[in-house]
Amino acid sequence: MQATLIYGAGDVRVENVPDPVLREPTDALVRVLRSCICGSDLWPYKSRPATEEGERIGHEFLGVVEDLGAEVSGLRRGDVVLAPFVWSDNTCDFCREGLQTSCRHGGLWAADGVDGGQGEAVRVPQAQGTLVKLPVGEDSELLPSLLTLSDVFCTGHHCAVTAGVDQGVSVTVIGDGAVGLSAVLAARRLGAERIILLGRHGQRTELGRHFGATDIVAERGEEAIEHVRELTGGDGTRTVLECVGTRQAIETAFAVARDGGTISRVGVPQYEETPMGFAEFFRNLTLTGGVAPARAYIEELLPEVLDGTLDPGRMFDCTISLDQVPDGYRAMNDRAALKVLIQP
Amino acid sequence: MQATLIYGAGDVRVENVPDPVLREPTDALVRVLRSCICGSDLWPYKSRPATEEGERIGHEFLGVVEDLGAEVSGLRRGDVVLAPFVWSDNTCDFCREGLQTSCRHGGLWAADGVDGGQGEAVRVPQAQGTLVKLPVGEDSELLPSLLTLSDVFCTGHHCAVTAGVDQGVSVTVIGDGAVGLSAVLAARRLGAERIILLGRHGQRTELGRHFGATDIVAERGEEAIEHVRELTGGDGTRTVLECVGTRQAIETAFAVARDGGTISRVGVPQYEETPMGFAEFFRNLTLTGGVAPARAYIEELLPEVLDGTLDPGRMFDCTISLDQVPDGYRAMNDRAALKVLIQP
């Protein structure tokens, strides 16, 4: 089959790889219907050292069950299924607590002999715990929105939930990428009153307004901080959703939080440490968030995607075939595309 | 009157200072019955650069109302009152939310022309909001326990509350100082099932056991981390109460937290940044806590101190007069005394 490999910064290739086969009785084989490129895929795309051997890449996909191991129940061949971006048994204590990203028997796609999502097919470990059956056909128009439950929309939702967004709460969202826009949509869904979106890309902030942003702040750094403070009577907002992952973004997040407020970060951190000294101590700021246990949220969000209340699929502004994946990476990296959908 | 001033590291003096007088109609004058030395007073005691002029010090006291400004209601001369370690109007939006440490009209003792607590008397700004009337006489045996509601016990309580300690939760408390022991007592009160106390001072950890610690870990650094992991099946505890403030303490806190867990820190941070990079992100760790809004907790905790259910006053293992305050600092700094009570 064909699958995507990364060889180094800027070097993504689609190549022939061995067809996946069942290895464990808990595995399933899934033919990929839709996959996509994640903002977090851009970190290796920007910086991975070049190597002779490539590595699989991609962790968001939905598809059709082609085969099942003997110990997988609740699924049948032909089912359309969604995979969250971390596979997990969904039965261990961490999973039962809704922290499937720390599953005792789980792991990452495209690592340790597990396929990546940007390919024609995937061997799914712990299939019974990992896969969620979708009540749609292979040609459903909802596939793009459903695919966002694999990672990006659940990540925005995790950010809003861990920040404590609730009815009437004020929110600043940092970042107009797909995660930031997902966080806007999730915050609106949870009842946020005011949602200030920091972003400077016109088409993206326009979609942010559609998703529920009430104010757009196009500045960066100190100027952005000043603008948010102006909008909030000098105080900042009770919750800040940091959806970028850079040092500047997390510093801005602390600066626009109201005393006693919570910063949640879901952008993969490109830093080792954050400011959390005396100033933040005296202001009683909380830093939370982390990698989103998407599996924990899919059942809750699915009905609203199925009935069209939520339309996160609007973030896909570019659809490509598998052999165009290198172009897709380029487009996302150049910010020419917001989120690239792959139809193998 | 006599009051304590600090001139530099290791240089604390009791000197004659002007008697306080009412300046604002919202002020009160309070004659101090009991004061004490705080672990946080030891930071300037260890490191303050020497200066010609001293600065007032001390922020924990209770006393008797001697005089009241015209705008202070609800208090009378002769009332025994408790002052939290930050003064506040208790009516602004932050105060109403229980964050009196961010009061729009509040401030710190021993700063900006306000007296310190380690003296014979104190002018109390925003007296109506700041002071809490105590239903006891000047000679009550409960004064030491009541005094802990000014700071140290409320600080331990804030740590446990912000960490989310609740029925059945597992807790690690880092630090066997008065704040750490207060955190143990607060965690037990909130229903913690297992309370692992990190401390190596026998008398203190014994008091920690009396307050509710179920396990004592006397090691430090890597060995302490290993020991906590052994006690918790390799996972660490869901909540970690960091009651020291050093870089080593906060690093230990991250290391002994269970995935998805919360670290609350109430030791005044002697660092600018904390580890919060990819590892902590992937583990979904939350860092919370901060300076305790003691004023928010006093009414809730007071009944249990008055009826003897809580006995935090047991932490005072040394009582001195005002002129012995320099000895008191030395004793606390040398860890010869756990917590020093001052009876002016």
Side-chain angles (χ1 to χ4, degrees):
Chain A
M1 69 160 181
Q2 298 265 300
T4 308
L5 290 93
I6 183 163
Y7 282 80
D11 187 2
V12 166
R13 309 179 200 170
V14 177
E15 295 182 342
N16 282 317
V17 299
D19 286 341
V21 292
L22 296 176
R23 286 194 207 164
E24 304 289 334
T26 46
D27 286 351
L29 294 185
V30 171
R31 172 169 52 86
V32 175
L33 286 174
R34 297 289 185 281
S35 176
C36 57
I37 302 173
C38 181
S40 69
D41 292 330
L42 298 181
W43 296 120
Y45 187 76
K46 286 179 201 297
S47 64
R48 185 185 182 282
T51 50
E52 288 282 309
E53 279 194 42
E55 281 176 326
R56 300 285 189 92
I57 191 165
H59 53 264
E60 297 161 281
F61 65 97
L62 53 74
V64 179
V65 175
E66 300 261 290
D67 203 1
L68 290 162
E71 290 179 16
V72 183
S73 63
L75 294 171
R76 292 163 175 242
R77 288 180 194 181
D79 282 349
V80 175
V81 290
L82 176 71
F85 73 95
V86 173
W87 49 271
S88 60
D89 65 15
N90 217 27
T91 58
C92 78
D93 53 345
F94 281 118
C95 287
R96 287 195 312 269
E97 293 162 25
L99 198 69
Q100 284 87 344
T101 44
S102 292
C103 173
R104 297 195 188 272
H105 309 104
L108 298 171
W109 304 109
D112 306 317
V114 177
D115 301 303
Q118 293 161 8
E120 289 183 280
V122 174
R123 178 180 68 88
V124 176
Q126 300 291 351
Q128 188 174 322
T130 301
L131 297 172
V132 178
K133 188 181 168 182
L134 299 175
V136 298
E138 292 189 30
D139 55 355
S140 168
E141 289 183 359
L142 292 173
L143 293 187
S145 278
L146 291 166
L147 179 59
T148 68
L149 297 177
S150 171
D151 180 346
V152 63
F153 182 58
C154 286
T155 293
H157 177 70
H158 183 60
C159 198
V161 167
T162 52
V165 174
D166 205 343
Q167 287 295 328
V169 162
S170 60
V171 181
T172 301
V173 175
I174 299 178
D176 60 7
V179 174
L181 298 180
S182 293
V184 169
L185 183 58
R188 186 198 69 186
R189 176 180 174 276
L190 291 166
E193 190 175 271
R194 186 168 201 178
I195 303 174
I196 301 170
L197 173 62
L198 266 64
R200 57 200 311 161
H201 188 296
Q203 276 174 299
R204 296 177 183 196
T205 54
E206 197 179 313
L207 184 54
R209 281 202 189 272
H210 168 76
F211 281 167
T214 55
D215 303 82
I216 306 295
V217 167
E219 296 91 342
R220 276 192 189 170
E222 278 306 314
E223 289 179 0
I225 294 164
E226 278 313 303
H227 194 165
V228 175
R229 287 195 182 142
E230 267 170 38
L231 290 170
T232 54
D235 287 342
T237 54
R238 267 174 215 276
T239 63
V240 182
L241 313 185
E242 198 286 276
C243 302
V244 179
T246 60
R247 176 80 194 191
Q248 185 187 40
I250 195 77
E251 287 179 0
T252 299
F254 279 102
V256 299
R258 187 172 185 273
D259 283 15
T262 300
I263 297 121
S264 179
R265 42 86 181 252
V266 292
V268 180
Q270 306 302 302
Y271 49 79
E272 288 301 316
E273 308 220 327
T274 66
M276 256 299 192
F278 186 76
E280 293 77 20
F281 176 84
F282 205 84
R283 297 176 62 211
N284 269 284
L285 296 180
T286 295
L287 179 57
T288 187
V291 64
R295 184 65 188 84
Y297 300 125
I298 294 172
E299 278 92 345
E300 178 189 351
L301 298 171
L302 186 57
E304 291 168 62
V305 173
L306 291 171
D307 72 13
T309 309
L310 297 173
D311 54 353
R314 286 189 57 161
M315 292 185 292
F316 291 109
D317 56 352
C318 173
T319 302
I320 59 174
S321 59
L322 193 55
D323 56 4
Q324 294 171 313
V325 163
D327 301 325
Y329 271 82
R330 244 187 315 275
M332 268 185 69
N333 195 46
D334 297 345
R335 301 199 96 206
L338 168 57
K339 182 94 178 157
V340 172
L341 186 70
I342 305 166
Q343 200 164 341
Chain B
M1 70 158 182
Q2 297 265 300
T4 307
L5 290 93
I6 183 162
Y7 282 81
D11 186 2
V12 165
R13 308 178 199 170
V14 177
E15 294 183 342
N16 281 316
V17 300
D19 286 342
V21 293
L22 297 176
R23 286 193 206 165
E24 304 289 336
T26 46
D27 285 352
L29 294 185
V30 171
R31 171 169 53 85
V32 174
L33 286 173
R34 296 289 186 282
S35 177
C36 56
I37 301 172
C38 182
S40 68
D41 293 330
L42 297 181
W43 295 120
Y45 187 77
K46 286 179 200 298
S47 64
R48 186 186 181 280
T51 50
E52 287 282 309
E53 279 193 41
E55 281 177 327
R56 299 286 188 90
I57 190 164
H59 53 263
E60 297 163 280
F61 65 97
L62 54 74
V64 179
V65 174
E66 299 261 289
D67 203 359
L68 290 161
E71 290 178 16
V72 184
S73 63
L75 293 171
R76 290 163 177 243
R77 288 181 195 182
D79 282 349
V80 175
V81 289
L82 174 72
F85 74 95
V86 172
W87 49 269
S88 61
D89 64 16
N90 216 27
T91 58
C92 79
D93 52 345
F94 281 118
C95 287
R96 288 196 311 269
E97 292 162 26
L99 199 68
Q100 284 87 343
T101 43
S102 291
C103 174
R104 298 195 188 271
H105 309 104
L108 298 171
W109 304 109
D112 307 316
V114 177
D115 301 302
Q118 292 162 8
E120 287 184 282
V122 174
R123 177 179 71 86
V124 176
Q126 301 289 353
Q128 188 175 320
T130 302
L131 297 172
V132 178
K133 189 180 166 183
L134 299 175
V136 298
E138 293 189 29
D139 55 356
S140 168
E141 287 184 359
L142 292 173
L143 294 187
S145 277
L146 291 166
L147 179 59
T148 68
L149 296 177
S150 172
D151 180 344
V152 64
F153 182 58
C154 286
T155 293
H157 177 69
H158 183 60
C159 198
V161 167
T162 52
V165 174
D166 205 343
Q167 286 296 328
V169 162
S170 60
V171 182
T172 301
V173 175
I174 299 178
D176 61 6
V179 174
L181 298 180
S182 293
V184 169
L185 183 57
R188 187 198 67 187
R189 177 180 174 275
L190 291 167
E193 190 174 273
R194 184 166 203 179
I195 304 174
I196 301 170
L197 172 62
L198 265 64
R200 56 200 312 160
H201 188 296
Q203 275 174 299
R204 296 177 183 195
T205 54
E206 197 180 313
L207 184 54
R209 281 202 189 270
H210 168 75
F211 281 167
T214 55
D215 303 83
I216 305 296
V217 168
E219 296 90 342
R220 277 193 189 168
E222 278 307 314
E223 287 179 0
I225 293 165
E226 278 313 303
H227 193 164
V228 174
R229 287 194 183 143
E230 266 170 39
L231 290 170
T232 54
D235 287 342
T237 55
R238 268 173 215 276
T239 63
V240 181
L241 313 185
E242 198 287 275
C243 301
V244 179
T246 60
R247 175 80 193 191
Q248 185 187 40
I250 195 78
E251 285 179 0
T252 300
F254 279 102
V256 299
R258 187 174 185 273
D259 283 15
T262 300
I263 296 120
S264 178
R265 42 88 181 250
V266 292
V268 180
Q270 306 302 302
Y271 49 78
E272 288 300 316
E273 308 220 329
T274 66
M276 255 300 191
F278 185 77
E280 294 77 19
F281 175 86
F282 205 84
R283 296 177 62 212
N284 269 284
L285 296 180
T286 295
L287 179 58
T288 187
V291 63
R295 183 67 186 83
Y297 300 125
I298 295 171
E299 278 92 345
E300 179 188 350
L301 299 171
L302 186 56
E304 291 167 62
V305 173
L306 290 171
D307 74 12
T309 310
L310 298 173
D311 54 353
R314 286 189 57 160
M315 290 186 291
F316 292 109
D317 56 352
C318 173
T319 301
I320 59 175
S321 60
L322 194 54
D323 57 4
Q324 293 171 314
V325 164
D327 300 324
Y329 272 83
R330 243 187 316 275
M332 268 185 70
N333 195 48
D334 297 345
R335 302 199 96 206
L338 168 58
K339 182 93 177 158
V340 172
L341 186 70
I342 305 167
Q343 201 164 341

